Amino acid sequence: MNQTSVADTLREFLSLMELLDDAYWEAATIQHKDMIYDIISIFHQEVAELNKLSIMDHHYPYEVITEGIRRVVPKLERLDDAREDVIQRTQTLTDFRDVLSSVLGILEAQLQEL
């Protein structure tokens, strides 16, 4: 399987973060907001590190940088299982399913290599 480039990974991570931000504001309970905020924080750290790379390095295959991103898959899976209760708006929910699938694919490929 082809590894995803840094540029493609950044695009997917940023899309997920944008959707999670929407989901955060739409969440009805503090527990849901806390779960979403935790995931956003993990991706924020990874994206910050990826943004430190030279733009000329964005064509290289993505490799996990931060420790938090290594442990985020179970959190994403829990959110995915509860998405109907957590994510209120139909558009956010629909977009979340698509982006989450791509992000999980990227992360699971990385974790298999470790």
Side-chain angles (χ1 to χ4, degrees):
M1 180 173 121
N2 287 338
Q3 261 192 312
T4 308
S5 70
V6 170
D8 292 339
T9 299
L10 262 173
R11 186 173 31 259
E12 293 298 327
F13 285 5
L14 290 171
S15 294
L16 180 65
M17 287 173 61
E18 184 178 323
L19 288 167
L20 288 171
D21 185 60
D22 291 343
Y24 176 85
W25 292 108
E26 297 165 14
T29 69
I30 295 298
Q31 291 81 11
H32 291 157
K33 287 184 182 292
D34 286 347
M35 176 174 50
I36 294 168
Y37 182 80
D38 183 41
I39 295 169
I40 290 171
S41 297
I42 291 168
F43 276 96
H44 179 72
Q45 290 172 346
E46 185 75 5
V47 166
E49 291 301 317
L50 289 172
N51 280 329
K52 291 178 184 177
L53 297 173
S54 165
I55 193 74
M56 295 184 319
D57 294 337
H58 282 206
H59 71 281
Y60 288 117
Y62 167 69
E63 293 179 14
V64 170
I65 299 173
T66 62
E67 189 60 34
I69 206 77
R70 295 178 201 277
R71 295 184 291 237
V72 79
V73 171
K75 293 174 187 248
L76 288 173
E77 289 170 345
R78 272 195 303 278
L79 178 57
D80 191 31
D81 291 342
R83 71 178 179 255
E84 298 287 334
D85 296 325
V86 176
I87 301 172
Q88 302 299 310
R89 287 183 56 233
T90 304
Q91 185 64 50
T92 306
L93 183 60
T94 303
D95 293 345
F96 177 77
R97 282 188 211 136
D98 296 338
V99 172
L100 182 63
S101 174
S102 297
V103 168
L104 284 174
I106 292 167
L107 294 175
E108 288 169 351
Q110 281 294 300
L111 297 177
Q112 286 176 357
E113 292 179 13
L114 295 177

